[in-house]
């Protein structure tokens, strides 16, 4: 394995090697491990790149240096400095692992003057002795380990896709570059044709439903904001209760509330701090639920008290309600559809024909590509049957690798980007092999679920869902999200579409439910313009004319696809 060919990360191979060391350290979970912690470099890593915290709170720490070629006194000096920093900043460090992209050669050569040439093995032993002395002087006992080229190669050769995939990702850079994924997304966009029309794009709330699936900044920001609000309201509530506002404060004990509030906040804080790719939200839900009874008991007790000033009772209801409100907001967040998608790591977007599913997914994929977030955007119409992983692998032009290796590489890309890699497959109800999704979808979901840094998003027309999804696929493994088009935003959408066609907008709200369908709205706007009109039709007759335009457009589309001349046939509008 040639470490000079390692994939660059954050603009340098040095960062790439550090990231690889951290990923392998994460995979090499020690016995009785409690939590894995990543550190940021550029002077802020406190002598280590990452560390495992064990049940006894001791730490196993890793330091990585991308030193290729010969070691010299300057490089060993850098390692000395890193160890001394780690010794100072990590008082619980019990093991220190040094990672270098070279082996501990033991040349046993004799140089000029008959002196033995110091090898990497010799220098390493000297460093261990030196560092042990420093640790003992500080009253510490620390074990030292060396991860070199041999150790890295051995781990990356393990017959496990989590390891072999990282070998593919980090040492076969041309095969999974962000430019490659962006090109694939653009290719899919072209194949969509007029189903993706950015000039008609309307921002809709449904896009937030995928925040949890992607574990993106929006997801973490939303719950972080709720946490801050809860902390502020809790502090105000406690200050009021302890602020000498009550005539007789006997029996008021805040310990019970604090004994359940504090553990919940500790769990929530740790979750937000470490942002794990996967997490059992039931842990947070149960801790949150434990707050209910102590809070209600305390509130009931205080409401029965007499306050020293007249507005005291009203103020108490205000502060207690203000504290309880963010608790319920967090509860709703943890039980939301987006939270279910965060846990499952897989979601299905469904809706009626023309509702905007393809546009939504394409827009999301292109935005992620612009942000260099690993995203694989594919079209169900191009699925060739069989295992969907074959479809993903072939689309990435990775024919020579196994499906597990490719999944491992995608997983590594997600972890390296500190996000979830997203596989998007639009319209599985299309294509000549669509029936085979029913046979392979459950296995596809199972394969992806083994990789915590990968999420899957597929779409299907609602009327096909019962035929495409096997009975073994339920909401626990595939969260369903319903796309309702422009429902609730019909007037704003109409303004956008009409403006793009140079048609004046209507003066009254558009209430017909058909206008919540983007395809219907777009077709009608084009028909109005092609008929030479420059204003939106008014009244019932105007709407009737629009529906006739729409049916005529549908009829022409059918004629093209079925290759027949409709001029002599019964008109669709007449038949309906």
């Amino acid at each position: 394995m040639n470490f000079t060919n390692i994939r660059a990360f954050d603009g340098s191979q040095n960062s790439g090697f550090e990231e690889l060391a951290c990923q392998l350290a994460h995979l090499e979970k020690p016995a009785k491990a409690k939590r894995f912690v990543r550190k940021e470099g550029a002077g802020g890593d406190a002598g280590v790149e990452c560390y495992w915290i064990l049940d006894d709170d001791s730490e196993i720490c890793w330091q990585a240096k991308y030193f290729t070629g010969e070691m010299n006194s300057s490089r060993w000096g850098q390692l000395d400095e890193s160890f001394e920093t780690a010794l100072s900043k990590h008082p619980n460090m019990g093991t220190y692992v040094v990672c270098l992209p070279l082996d501990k050669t033991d040349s046993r050569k004799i140089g000029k003057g008959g002196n033995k040439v110091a090898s990497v093995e010799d220098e390493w032993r000297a460093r261990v002795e030196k560092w042990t002395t420093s640790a003992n002087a500080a009253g510490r006992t620390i074990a030292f380990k060396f991860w070199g080229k041999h150790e890295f190669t051995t781990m990356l050769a393990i017959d496990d896709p989590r390891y072999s995939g990282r070998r593919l990702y980090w040492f076969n850079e041309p095969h999974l570059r962000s430019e490659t994924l962006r090109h694939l997304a653009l290719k899919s966009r072209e194949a969509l044709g007029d189903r993706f029309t950015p000039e008609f794009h309307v921002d809709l709330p449904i896009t937030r439903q995928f925040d949890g699936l992607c574990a993106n900044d929006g997801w973490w920001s939303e719950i972080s904001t709720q946490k801050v609000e809860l902390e502020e309201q809790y502090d105000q509530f406690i200050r009021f209760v302890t602020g000498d506002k009550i005539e007789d404060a006997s029996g008021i004990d805040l310990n019970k509330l604090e004994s359940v509030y504090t553990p919940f906040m500790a769990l929530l804080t740790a979750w937000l701090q470490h942002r794990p790719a996967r997490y059992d939200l039931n842990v947070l839900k149960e801790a949150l639920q434990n707050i209910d009874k102590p809070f209600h008991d305390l509130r009931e007790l205080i409401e029965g008290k007499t306050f020293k000033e007249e507005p005291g009772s009203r103020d108490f209801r205000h502060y207690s309600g203000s504290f309880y409100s963010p608790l319920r907001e967090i509860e709703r967040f943890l039980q939301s559809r987006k939270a279910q998608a965060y846990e499952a790591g897989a979601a299905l977007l469904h809706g009626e024909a023309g509702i905007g599913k393809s546009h939504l997914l394409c827009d999301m994929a292109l935005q992620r590509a612009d942000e260099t977030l690993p995203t694989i955007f594919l079209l169900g119409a191009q699925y060739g049957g069989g295992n969907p992983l074959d479809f993903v692998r072939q689309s990435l032009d990775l024919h020579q690798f196994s499906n597990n290796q490719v999944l491992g590489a995608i997983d590594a890309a997600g972890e390296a980007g500190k996000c979830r890699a997203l596989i998007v497959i639009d319209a599985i109800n299309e294509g000549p092999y669509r029936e085979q999704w029913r046979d392979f979808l459950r296995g596809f979901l199972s394969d992806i679920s083994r990789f915590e840094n990968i999420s899957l998003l597929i779409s299907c027309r609602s009327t096909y869902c019962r035929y495409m999804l096997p009975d073994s696929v339920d909401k626990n493994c595939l969260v369903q999200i319903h796309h309702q088009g422009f429902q609730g935003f019909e007037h704003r959408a109409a303004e956008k579409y009409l403006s793009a066609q140079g048609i004046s907008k209507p003066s009254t709200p558009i209430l017909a439910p058909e206008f919540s369908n983007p395809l219907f709205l777009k077709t009608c706007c084009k028909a109005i313009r092609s008929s030479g009109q420059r204003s939106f039709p008014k009244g019932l007759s105007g709407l009737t004319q629009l529906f006739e335009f729409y049916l005529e457009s549908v009829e022409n589309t059918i004629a093209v696809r079925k290759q027949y001349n409709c001029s002599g046939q019964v008109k669709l509008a007449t038949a309906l």
Side-chain angles (χ1 to χ4, degrees):
M1 184 178 297
N2 188 350
F3 279 87
T4 61
N5 293 330
I6 193 171
R7 168 193 286 268
F9 178 66
D10 272 351
S12 73
Q13 289 181 304
N14 178 67
S15 296
F17 181 69
E18 291 176 359
E19 176 64 27
L20 173 60
C22 289
Q23 291 191 10
L24 291 177
H26 192 189
L27 289 177
E28 294 290 299
K29 183 178 181 180
K32 298 181 180 180
K34 185 162 57 177
R35 189 170 75 250
F36 182 75
V37 180
R38 298 287 290 272
K39 303 294 288 292
E40 296 297 333
D45 59 4
V48 304
E49 317 298 344
C50 59
Y51 58 97
W52 274 104
I53 302 176
L54 307 186
D55 288 342
D56 61 0
D57 287 330
S58 65
E59 298 172 357
I60 303 176
C61 303
W62 278 260
Q63 171 60 237
K65 297 291 186 184
Y66 186 60
F67 294 156
T68 58
E70 298 291 330
M71 289 292 290
N72 53 43
S73 59
S74 174
R75 290 180 168 185
W76 286 113
Q78 291 182 50
L79 287 172
D80 287 338
E81 184 179 345
S82 292
F83 172 72
E84 292 297 335
T85 302
L87 184 66
S88 171
K89 300 292 186 180
H90 288 264
N92 294 329
M93 181 173 65
T95 302
Y96 193 66
V97 185
V98 175
C99 304
L100 300 175
L102 46 84
D103 284 325
K104 292 189 296 179
T105 55
D106 185 11
S107 64
R108 301 182 186 270
K109 291 181 179 179
I110 303 299
K112 294 180 180 180
N115 295 321
K116 179 184 175 183
V117 176
S119 65
V120 174
E121 175 67 23
D122 297 326
E123 292 284 3
W124 171 252
R125 289 176 181 173
R127 252 54 193 186
V128 169
E129 184 177 346
K130 177 181 178 180
W131 298 341
T132 299
T133 300
S134 295
N136 292 342
R140 309 266 294 278
T141 300
I142 297 176
F144 299 93
K145 293 184 179 180
F146 184 90
W147 278 15
K149 182 178 180 179
H150 170 74
E151 287 76 14
F152 276 88
T153 302
T154 300
M155 284 185 282
L156 294 175
I158 294 175
D159 188 15
D160 182 318
R162 296 176 302 165
Y163 291 86
S164 58
R166 277 159 176 77
R167 182 167 186 156
L168 168 62
Y169 178 78
W170 288 107
F171 295 96
N172 289 274
E173 180 180 7
H175 297 291
L176 204 59
R177 302 177 63 182
S178 58
E179 292 85 354
T180 301
L181 300 182
R182 178 172 177 77
H183 174 74
L184 183 61
L186 291 173
K187 182 179 176 182
S188 296
R189 168 189 171 171
E190 293 301 319
L192 282 176
D194 59 5
R195 283 195 286 180
F196 178 70
T197 49
E199 65 273 19
F200 295 135
H201 179 75
V202 177
D203 289 326
L204 297 171
I206 191 173
T207 57
R208 300 297 304 276
Q209 292 296 313
F210 304 108
D211 286 351
L213 181 71
C214 301
N216 58 21
D217 289 342
W219 161 261
W220 296 112
S221 175
E222 182 175 354
I223 183 61
S224 295
T225 300
Q226 293 175 352
K227 172 181 174 289
V228 171
E229 176 67 14
L230 176 60
E231 289 173 325
E232 292 177 354
Q233 297 304 328
Y234 177 77
D235 288 344
Q236 292 182 24
F237 172 71
I238 296 300
R239 282 199 298 270
F240 180 86
V241 173
T242 59
D244 196 28
K245 306 284 186 181
I246 304 170
E247 286 284 358
D248 178 16
S250 62
I252 298 177
D253 183 6
L254 295 175
N255 289 330
K256 289 183 179 179
L257 177 61
E258 185 178 357
S259 69
V260 289
Y261 172 80
T262 301
F264 169 71
M265 293 304 294
L267 286 171
L268 183 59
T269 300
W271 180 54
L272 289 171
Q273 180 180 353
H274 302 296
R275 296 190 173 192
R278 290 284 190 272
Y279 187 83
D280 183 4
L281 294 181
N282 287 321
V283 175
L284 286 171
K285 292 176 187 177
E286 291 172 4
L288 179 61
Q289 191 174 17
N290 291 337
I291 299 176
D292 262 5
K293 188 177 187 308
F295 171 72
H296 286 299
D297 289 347
L298 179 64
R299 183 171 65 178
E300 185 177 349
L301 174 65
I302 295 177
E303 285 178 343
K305 299 283 187 179
T306 301
F307 292 85
K308 293 181 177 180
E309 298 179 2
E310 183 176 343
S313 178
R314 184 181 68 248
D315 290 344
F316 174 72
R317 288 194 298 271
H318 166 73
Y319 286 114
S320 62
S322 296
F323 167 55
Y324 194 65
S325 180
L327 283 175
R328 298 285 69 82
E329 283 297 316
I330 293 177
E331 181 181 49
R332 283 189 286 271
F333 178 87
L334 295 175
Q335 294 176 346
S336 66
R337 193 65 57 89
K338 67 178 72 173
Q340 295 172 21
Y342 169 79
E343 290 189 287
L348 166 71
L349 176 68
H350 67 95
E352 65 182 68
I355 207 69
K357 301 182 296 296
S358 297
H359 178 96
L360 176 63
L361 296 189
C362 185
D363 182 69
M364 179 191 302
L366 292 176
Q367 280 193 26
R368 284 176 58 90
D370 288 341
E371 297 170 14
T372 64
L373 300 175
T375 308
I376 300 168
F377 181 42
L378 305 173
L379 304 183
Q382 297 171 353
Y383 165 61
N387 188 345
L389 285 177
D390 293 335
F391 176 40
V392 174
R393 176 170 53 85
Q394 291 162 8
S395 298
L396 293 172
D397 197 23
L398 296 174
H399 308 275
Q400 69 274 37
F401 300 101
S402 70
N403 289 333
N404 278 333
Q405 282 181 307
V406 173
L407 282 177
I410 298 171
D411 184 68
E415 185 171 0
K418 295 179 175 58
C419 66
R420 286 187 185 175
L422 184 63
I423 300 175
V424 183
I425 304 179
D426 178 46
I428 63 171
N429 55 279
E430 297 182 358
Y433 299 96
R434 60 188 180 189
E435 294 86 358
Q436 294 192 29
W437 281 104
R438 187 174 181 86
D439 298 325
F440 290 96
L441 183 57
R442 187 65 186 87
F444 186 37
L445 291 169
S446 179
D447 286 336
I448 289 178
S449 68
R450 294 184 292 119
F451 297 86
E452 63 179 24
N453 298 295
I454 303 178
S455 286
L456 173 68
L457 176 57
I458 60 177
S459 72
C460 181
R461 190 179 301 176
S462 294
T463 50
Y464 283 86
C465 286
R466 59 180 297 187
Y467 308 110
M468 309 298 295
L469 306 182
D471 296 336
S472 58
V473 172
D474 57 24
K475 65 179 182 180
N476 293 321
C477 61
L478 186 67
V479 176
Q480 297 193 16
I481 299 173
H482 184 208
H483 193 352
Q484 297 178 305
F486 295 142
Q487 186 173 335
F489 301 89
E490 291 90 347
H491 197 74
R492 179 152 62 92
E495 287 184 9
K496 182 87 171 185
Y497 277 61
L498 291 168
S499 175
Q501 298 290 342
I503 301 170
S504 60
K505 62 183 180 181
S507 57
T508 57
I510 298 176
L511 302 177
E514 288 79 10
F515 287 95
S516 65
N517 187 299
L519 178 60
F520 178 85
L521 182 57
K522 181 167 59 178
T523 302
C524 289
C525 289
K526 287 183 177 179
I528 293 172
R529 181 175 181 177
S530 64
S531 67
Q533 300 184 45
R534 289 294 178 266
S535 61
F536 197 82
K538 299 179 181 179
L540 181 61
S541 60
L543 287 177
T544 301
Q545 185 182 14
L546 279 182
F547 281 106
E548 288 177 352
F549 283 151
Y550 178 72
L551 291 174
E552 207 174 299
S553 175
V554 171
E555 185 175 44
N556 290 333
T557 300
I558 294 174
V560 171
R561 291 189 177 182
K562 297 300 181 181
Q563 298 181 352
Y564 78 95
N565 185 355
C566 61
S567 59
Q569 308 294 327
V570 177
K571 290 290 184 180
L572 181 59
T574 304
L576 291 175

